[in-house]
Amino acid sequence: MEWETVIGLEVHAQLATKSKIFSGSSTAFGSEPNTQASALDLAMPGTLPVPNEQAYRYAIMFGLAIDADIAKTSVFERKNYFYPDLPKAYQTTQLEKPIVGAGHVEIELADGTKKSIRIHHAHLEEDAGKSLHEDFHGMSGIDLNRAGTPLVEIVSEPDIRNAEEAVAFAKKLHSIVTSLGICDGEMSQGSMRFDVNISVRRPGEEFGTRTETKNLNSFRFMEDCIALEVERQIDLIEDGGKVVQETRLYNGDTKQARSMRSKEEANDYRYFPCPDLLPVVLDNDYIESIRQTLPELPDARHDRFMEQYGLSSYDANILSGDANMAQFFETAAKASGDTKLTANWIMGELSARLNAEDQSIKHSPVNAEQLAGMITRLVDGTISSKMAKQVFEAMWNGDGNADEIIEAKGLKQVSDSGAIEAMVDEVIANSDKQVDNYRNADESKRPKMLGYFVGQIMKASKGQANPQQVNEILLKKLNDLI
Amino acid sequence: MTIERTDIEKLAELARIELNEATIAETTQSIADVLALVDQLQAADTEGVEPMAHPTDAVQRLRADEVTETNHREAFQAIAPATEAGLYLVPKVID
């Protein structure tokens, strides 16, 4: 019998503010442990939080981008639980009156289907610190640099039906927050983290019991984890068991998941309005002034890419999705002057290399200008596609710009027809047997026999002859012999 | 609203507070007394009154996004029970 999967996502995005949500500590990533943890971040007595306006502004930008209502009055609450990386023993968050109300996000699937995913709400909250469980004489180490980093938590409705939709939705959110410039989107640094709520049911029936898998920080892990959990739940039910509501942890490296805690022993968070913080009241003019600052959003950019660069919807989706990718493409396309070739190189070779090394385009070893420089030489015939791969490889390894590499490696393609003719003549003169075979062969068999000659000519030119010219000249000369 | 001994035990556990037998009975009684006062308040007609998030009728001030804090790790860690490599050490916790 058929099963239907029901998925809802909770997405944490770190906001790209310079300072924390309630203190003036820096939010810079990668500093020495606890050097960015102030008295307030450490929950010292006598400290009082003051909210960061920029965090509010960023959350509102997100709300406007997903067509949501922005709350004129929003309230911070305390979510109480004990964990050493949360020194106050409560997280300051929003529950009853979050800053961003209901909205929606459109996704497009590989087959071109479009779907709208509803957002229940999005709220502001503070991030916790980090616990390091390596062995410190049987103790855990706590780094509170991250404690108090502003987060926007985006909560979807259970509108997602499979892993493909979940990943498309997650990528779309990534695209929106990076396009808005409110989050750097660096998943490997934990700038965006996804909690996935999964249940299964017979189509048309009530929702099944759900489990929540927390803190996924890669799209690939999300896809794998959903497949694994759906299979686990179906097997469990078909074997006569029951799904238990619980939190699960997924390990992307071992592709295994385990239960973290079941709901029975789960925390009762005892939310209540934070007495240290007053309600934040905003007026229409303020919200409208933020609307005026919204940059181009992914959907608009997608349509513009199709129109302006003649890209297919699918290609435009890939190139416009990530704000950094879009910028890379536009810079490279303008500099090289060949949009199609630029698009192909970015979606092909460059993306493949970035994926293989789990690197974001922002940190690509080959920048947009360098790629454009290589494509320019490809277009003007200086190098062949095969040579371009070598040039790309060298640029990736930091050997310099295309022109420097072409010069240093002597990769210039020979396009001088006189020189190519001489090489063709020589190869034909030294290949009596093959020429005879060619002459006597059936016309339909001849094209296949060209390979030998082309190979010899390319060898004679040390791979530098322009292949297109070689083909043309060779064909003409051989046919003259018939 | 009534409060049972089991409620107090659960709250104590959530708050990581250890209560002995005598204190459990005493606390149950005190909280029951407070809740009795709340019951009286519940009798007030609040129809059409917006719930307040804060007793003062004031609005939160926001601050500009500027880094104003500097590193005082040495001073903070001087009063911590255990530190190593810049980290605060705590009894091992793994979910």
Side-chain angles (χ1 to χ4, degrees):
Chain A
M1 224 210 281
E2 219 186 316
W3 288 97
E4 183 181 51
T5 304
V6 177
I7 299 170
L9 256 62
E10 288 166 29
V11 181
H12 290 91
Q14 282 185 347
L15 296 173
T17 55
K18 294 196 277 288
S19 65
K20 293 188 177 176
I21 186 167
F22 298 122
S23 83
S25 301
S26 169
T27 54
F29 179 82
S31 305
E32 282 292 302
N34 292 307
T35 53
Q36 292 167 185
S38 68
L40 183 123
D41 307 322
L42 295 174
M44 289 292 177
T47 55
L48 269 182
V50 187
N52 184 338
E53 191 205 343
Q54 191 68 11
Y56 252 89
R57 195 173 270 276
Y58 284 163
I60 292 167
M61 285 171 79
F62 176 76
L64 294 171
I66 61 157
D67 205 14
D69 285 332
I70 307 301
K72 301 272 169 24
T73 301
S74 53
V75 172
F76 283 108
E77 308 212 22
R78 292 184 177 184
K79 176 182 181 179
N80 299 278
Y81 68 96
F82 276 94
Y83 207 74
D85 58 23
L86 186 78
K88 291 182 300 188
Y90 61 84
Q91 180 190 31
T92 307
T93 178
Q94 298 178 325
L95 181 73
E96 294 292 334
K97 292 186 173 176
I99 179 66
V100 176
H104 56 93
V105 166
E106 315 308 315
I107 57 168
E108 185 176 338
L109 305 172
D111 67 1
T113 324
K114 290 188 175 160
K115 185 170 175 178
S116 180
I117 307 293
R118 289 170 301 153
I119 303 293
H120 181 271
H121 78 274
H123 62 261
L124 276 167
E125 62 183 26
E126 59 182 340
D127 208 343
K130 268 187 188 154
S131 308
L132 302 157
H133 300 298
E134 291 104 73
D135 198 21
F136 294 100
H137 330 290
M139 300 180 89
S140 291
I142 306 292
D143 176 8
L144 295 169
N145 280 350
R146 198 180 67 179
T149 297
L151 297 175
V152 63
E153 179 175 342
I154 305 154
V155 182
S156 88
E157 295 283 1
D159 289 349
I160 297 162
R161 291 292 171 269
N162 55 48
E164 190 201 355
E165 289 181 13
V167 171
F169 175 69
K171 283 188 172 167
K172 190 60 176 283
L173 286 181
H174 184 270
S175 169
I176 291 171
V177 297
T178 54
S179 299
L180 289 169
I182 64 172
C183 171
D184 69 17
E186 294 291 341
M187 315 248 302
S188 60
Q189 295 178 5
S191 293
M192 260 187 116
R193 288 140 24 209
F194 302 89
D195 300 346
V196 189
N197 288 289
I198 304 170
S199 64
V200 297
R201 65 170 171 187
R202 302 289 189 194
E205 287 185 1
E206 296 279 295
F207 289 143
T209 306
R210 66 168 193 270
T211 62
E212 181 180 27
T213 305
K214 275 192 174 299
N215 274 333
L216 298 165
N217 67 350
S218 114
F219 299 127
R220 203 180 324 147
F221 288 174
M222 183 188 296
E223 199 169 345
D224 294 347
C225 143
I226 291 171
L228 188 73
E229 178 59 11
V230 167
E231 196 187 321
R232 187 190 73 90
Q233 291 191 9
I234 292 174
D235 284 352
L236 194 63
I237 299 170
E238 288 185 344
D239 289 348
K242 266 189 176 166
V243 176
V244 180
Q245 189 175 347
E246 63 183 357
T247 303
R248 298 177 67 81
L249 275 185
Y250 178 74
N251 184 330
D253 298 323
T254 59
K255 298 198 175 203
Q256 283 179 327
R258 65 178 174 87
S259 173
M260 211 165 102
R261 53 174 174 244
S262 72
K263 205 72 193 175
E264 280 87 354
E265 33 184 302
N267 290 301
D268 170 353
Y269 293 123
R270 294 150 294 141
Y271 280 93
F272 63 90
C274 181
D276 285 348
L277 289 157
L278 295 157
V280 174
V281 177
L282 307 168
D283 62 28
N284 238 344
D285 288 352
Y286 180 79
I287 294 165
E288 285 311 307
S289 75
I290 293 175
R291 194 192 297 277
Q292 300 309 315
T293 68
L294 289 187
E296 183 179 40
L297 290 165
D299 287 342
R301 190 164 53 218
H302 169 267
D303 295 348
R304 180 170 64 81
F305 274 23
M306 286 179 69
E307 175 122 337
Q308 186 177 340
Y309 300 111
L311 297 172
S312 70
S313 178
Y314 184 78
D315 288 358
N317 210 11
I318 294 176
L319 292 168
S320 72
D322 181 295
N324 292 314
M325 171 85 92
Q327 200 192 358
F328 192 107
F329 166 70
E330 291 207 88
T331 309
K334 271 190 194 110
S336 75
D338 191 316
T339 307
K340 189 71 200 145
L341 211 49
T342 305
N344 289 344
W345 269 88
I346 293 176
M347 292 188 293
E349 199 75 14
L350 181 68
S351 294
R353 287 305 293 264
L354 291 171
N355 284 340
E357 299 190 14
D358 220 0
Q359 190 65 270
S360 69
I361 197 157
K362 202 170 153 190
H363 299 123
S364 168
V366 176
N367 67 34
E369 287 76 14
Q370 284 177 305
L371 187 71
M374 186 204 80
I375 289 168
T376 306
R377 292 294 162 253
L378 197 51
V379 173
D380 72 14
T382 307
I383 53 172
S384 64
S385 325
K386 207 173 162 191
M387 291 171 178
K389 290 215 162 101
Q390 274 177 271
V391 173
F392 181 85
E393 187 64 31
M395 291 196 298
W396 185 274
N397 294 327
D399 293 349
N401 293 328
D403 284 346
E404 293 163 9
I405 293 161
I406 291 166
E407 191 64 41
K409 291 192 186 271
L411 282 174
K412 274 204 178 84
Q413 177 169 248
V414 176
S415 298
D416 167 1
S417 53
I420 294 176
E421 264 184 64
M423 285 188 271
V424 174
D425 286 340
E426 198 187 327
V427 169
I428 289 178
N430 292 328
S431 311
D432 291 343
K433 204 175 125 219
Q434 285 82 0
V435 172
D436 272 346
N437 287 345
Y438 184 83
R439 193 184 287 133
N440 298 328
D442 188 77
E443 204 172 331
S444 66
K445 299 246 170 76
R446 281 180 186 152
K448 277 196 174 166
M449 302 175 78
L450 288 172
Y452 162 78
F453 296 99
V454 173
Q456 291 299 309
I457 298 160
M458 293 311 281
K459 205 167 142 191
S461 77
K462 298 191 178 69
Q464 297 186 354
N466 180 326
Q468 215 178 328
Q469 275 178 298
V470 168
N471 273 325
E472 278 167 23
I473 293 168
L474 175 69
L475 205 60
K476 187 169 169 297
K477 290 203 180 265
L478 280 177
N479 288 340
D480 284 349
L481 292 173
I482 295 167
Chain B
M1 174 167 180
T2 56
I3 191 144
E4 306 288 338
R5 180 193 172 87
T6 50
D7 296 323
I8 298 296
E9 282 169 354
K10 187 179 174 215
L11 281 172
E13 195 198 322
L14 286 171
R16 303 291 190 276
I17 295 170
E18 197 176 33
L19 297 179
N20 61 31
E21 271 305 310
T23 326
I24 290 178
E26 195 186 313
T27 309
T28 308
Q29 189 53 52
S30 328
I31 292 184
D33 292 346
V34 173
L35 289 176
L37 292 175
V38 174
D39 281 340
Q40 283 183 40
L41 287 171
Q42 296 283 32
D45 180 10
T46 55
E47 187 68 34
V49 178
E50 269 286 297
M52 294 172 82
H54 203 276
T56 58
D57 194 13
V59 167
Q60 180 63 48
R61 184 180 67 83
L62 304 177
R63 54 167 244 282
D65 181 25
E66 281 162 13
V67 175
T68 52
E69 294 287 346
T70 49
N71 175 23
H72 295 295
R73 187 176 77 181
E74 298 297 310
F76 292 133
Q77 298 206 332
I79 53 169
T83 60
E84 189 177 313
L87 300 163
Y88 293 93
L89 297 190
V90 299
K92 197 159 191 101
V93 272
I94 289 194
D95 262 306

